Amino acid sequence: YVTTCFMNIEKYIKSKGFPLATAAAELDVTRQALNLWINGKRIPRPAQMKKIQNWSEGEVTAMDFYK
């Protein structure tokens, strides 16, 4: 179920204490794009999923988007 991953992204960002703007900048996306992922309105493209996995040190994986 898609929202599982969005919660993982949100939980990861919160656990690190990052402002959304900082997380978005580190992922090289707009804050609006990040909000769409968190709110379950969009799924990141494969290249973005890989970047998320690397950025989160494997805590959020591409497979989380398909649970």
Side-chain angles (χ1 to χ4, degrees):
Y1 187 56
V2 172
T3 57
T4 299
C5 183
F6 300 129
M7 288 301 296
N8 285 342
I9 292 171
E10 185 175 24
K11 284 180 183 178
Y12 182 80
I13 291 169
K14 286 182 178 181
S15 75
K16 298 298 180 182
F18 295 140
L20 284 182
T22 300
E26 290 182 5
L27 290 168
D28 198 28
V29 298
T30 64
R31 194 171 51 176
Q32 291 81 4
L34 185 56
N35 274 322
L36 290 172
W37 298 344
I38 289 170
N39 293 320
K41 297 184 187 250
R42 295 282 189 275
I43 295 175
R45 294 180 181 171
Q48 293 166 323
M49 288 182 197
K50 185 174 182 177
K51 189 176 270 193
I52 291 166
Q53 184 173 344
N54 291 336
W55 175 77
S56 69
E57 301 175 336
E59 291 189 41
V60 180
T61 68
M63 291 307 297
D64 291 323
F65 287 94
Y66 300 103
K67 287 184 178 178

